[in-house]
Amino acid sequence: MDLAAADPADRRAVRLRHVLAWLLFWQDRDAEAVEQFRVIDGYLGALPCYYSGTPKGRYLYARNWAVLATTEQDT
């Protein structure tokens, strides 16, 4: 609830959403992950993606997987 009430422009909220999206992705909670990816899309450079040698690739992989899994469930 606190994150939902946070200012979307607040950098701390964006960073927290990155971690939340990543955890939801790994728990196969794809629809919920997609909600977070929609809010943060376009902002790279937060945990956990920047630990990888290719943060953009890691982020896009997780986001695209969650979106694909969600759209496949709808069909």
Side-chain angles (χ1 to χ4, degrees):
M1 290 181 359
D2 290 340
L3 185 56
D7 179 4
D10 187 334
R11 293 179 310 167
R12 295 171 297 177
V14 172
R15 290 178 181 149
L16 185 56
R17 287 184 189 279
H18 267 277
V19 173
L20 179 58
W22 189 254
L23 293 173
L24 291 168
F25 160 73
W26 280 105
Q27 293 175 6
D28 292 325
R29 295 169 61 184
D30 298 308
E32 294 163 288
V34 168
E35 290 176 29
Q36 299 306 313
F37 284 123
R38 282 189 180 125
V39 175
I40 61 175
D41 207 19
Y43 176 81
L44 297 174
L47 279 167
C49 293
Y50 71 73
Y51 278 138
S52 130
T54 57
K56 182 178 179 182
R58 188 174 216 187
Y59 171 83
L60 291 174
Y61 174 81
R63 185 199 65 188
N64 292 346
W65 178 279
V67 169
L68 183 63
T70 302
T71 54
E72 285 178 349
Q73 290 173 1
D74 293 339
T75 58

